[in-house]
Amino acid sequence: MLKAEAYGLGAARAATALAQAGARVFFTATLGEALSVRQALGDGPQILVLNGPSENDVALFTPARIAPVLNSLAQIKLWDGRGPAALHIDTGMNRLGIGPEELAQAASLLKGSSLVSVMSHLACGGDLGHAFNETQRVRFVDAASLFPNAPLSLAATAGALMGPSFHFDLIRPGIGLYGSGGLDAGNPTLAAAAKIEAPILQVRDAAAGETFGYGAAFTAPRPMRTATVAIGYADGFLRALGQRGYGFFAGAKRPILGRISMDLTIVDVTGCAEAQPGAMVEFLGPNAPLDEVAQLAGTAPYEILTTFAGTVRRGGAA
Ligand SMILES: *Cc1c(COP(=O)(O)O)cnc(C)c1O
């Protein structure tokens, strides 16, 4: 899964690494992403566009050997059998896909076309024990019986963790490739795929009672040494991590003091002789795990990765 430019990591780079690891089927959200993935991978791998074709771009798929996911009767008619396509069946997510009342018509419109996959998506995959997962699985099997020869695909990362009955012919892992198990709680520990670090700009010694940053939101309870680091919410480092998050430096978690500024963050480096201007502090990576950072920020790992995307500036945070 390479949507959102591979969850912020860069579609071309991620696609190349995943192809080298053996992946042969790639999904993007948009045709633009798919075209850059095709350029990176060359011929061979299958590339599918989740959002499907629109009037404006329907003619551009076949020349680039890109297949759309058809999500509605309107998209099936628009595509009009121009080439291979996947079909998305809605089994309860109510987001994209052919609903139960449209299935028969979809099957008759698609008679004779080549379906590279029939897929659906789980609404509650993040909760492995949620009863709705099995409900959707049964609905999917029923609906897919109308398309007897197509390979089937239901599971994203979390679905892949549910076991073989959810795997069918193709799983579609996204976040699992980029460092999180995709579960609401109790994630397995996966290797970090992204690392965010930023340099210390200044080290300061503060007396007890001094306050830090906007709103004077943190007061030193005792004499402290602090480091001002070149990362802020303009880099995608969520402001919600103020007072809650940490930077990892010199073997320990260094709490963030006060509010995160647009380009700056203050961390506690009391007693840490290694804290010097230019030294790098890690805010996401092997020592600042994605799932933990997301939890501290009160959001999902997906948002942590995609918020950094495109905002991390060369020469600043890297
Ligand atoms: C995003 C998405 C996935 C991948 O989900 P992860 O939880 O990141 O593994 C799979 N299928 C569809 C349709 C998606 O939108």
Side-chain angles (χ1 to χ4, degrees), residues 1 3 7 27 50 88 93 95-96 119-122 153-159 171-178 180-182 302:
M1 191 59 61
K3 65 188 177 186
Y7 294 51
F27 289 86
L50 287 169
H88 190 167
M93 181 89 166
R95 192 175 67 168
L96 291 175
M119 57 174 274
S120 190
H121 195 47
L122 297 172
S153 175
L154 177 62
T157 298
I171 59 169
R172 305 188 306 272
I175 197 77
L177 305 171
Y178 307 113
S180 166
Y302 304 83

Side-chain angles (χ1 to χ4, degrees), residues 8-265:
L9 276 70
R13 279 180 67 199
T16 305
L18 292 166
Q20 274 164 11
R24 284 290 165 270
V25 182
F26 297 86
F27 289 86
T28 67
T30 66
L31 178 64
E33 290 174 330
L35 292 170
S36 67
V37 171
R38 174 61 77 209
Q39 197 159 28
L41 296 183
D43 284 338
Q46 191 177 88
I47 303 173
L48 295 121
V49 175
L50 287 169
N51 290 359
S54 71
E55 300 264 1
N56 294 332
D57 65 18
V58 66
L60 305 176
F61 283 73
T62 311
R65 298 162 314 286
I66 289 164
V69 176
L70 304 175
N71 295 292
S72 63
L73 294 176
Q75 283 189 338
I76 293 173
K77 290 174 189 162
L78 175 66
W79 183 246
D80 195 21
R82 288 163 202 261
L87 179 70
H88 190 167
I89 294 173
D90 177 40
T91 53
M93 181 89 166
N94 278 305
R95 192 175 67 168
L96 291 175
I98 301 289
E101 69 293 344
E102 304 167 319
L103 270 174
Q105 200 184 341
S108 93
L109 285 168
L110 288 165
K111 205 163 229 129
S113 8
S114 109
L115 282 179
V116 293
S117 142
V118 167
M119 57 174 274
S120 190
H121 195 47
L122 297 172
C124 302
D127 178 356
L128 297 181
H130 201 295
F132 200 42
N133 296 322
E134 180 62 13
T135 301
Q136 284 192 269
R137 194 188 71 81
V138 170
R139 288 179 185 171
F140 181 59
V141 171
D142 282 352
S145 66
L146 288 173
F147 308 93
N149 298 318
L152 304 183
S153 175
L154 177 62
T157 298
L161 298 172
M162 285 172 205
S165 68
F166 283 84
H167 292 175
F168 298 94
D169 301 301
L170 179 75
I171 59 169
R172 305 188 306 272
I175 197 77
L177 305 171
Y178 307 113
S180 166
L183 305 183
D184 302 338
N187 273 290
T189 303
L190 301 180
K195 186 171 178 183
I196 300 283
E197 327 182 84
I200 294 174
L201 295 177
Q202 205 174 91
V203 175
R204 307 172 72 89
D205 287 300
E210 290 285 337
T211 60
F212 298 88
Y214 286 118
F218 178 83
T219 305
R222 57 185 177 276
M224 293 180 88
R225 171 164 286 199
T226 65
T228 305
V229 186
I231 191 170
Y233 58 79
D235 300 299
F237 192 52
L238 295 180
R239 196 168 170 278
L241 287 162
Q243 306 273 46
R244 304 172 55 84
Y246 63 88
F248 185 89
F249 181 73
K253 293 177 178 179
R254 312 289 173 178
I256 292 170
L257 305 178
R259 294 183 190 162
I260 291 171
S261 301
M262 188 177 287
D263 301 281
L264 299 169
T265 294

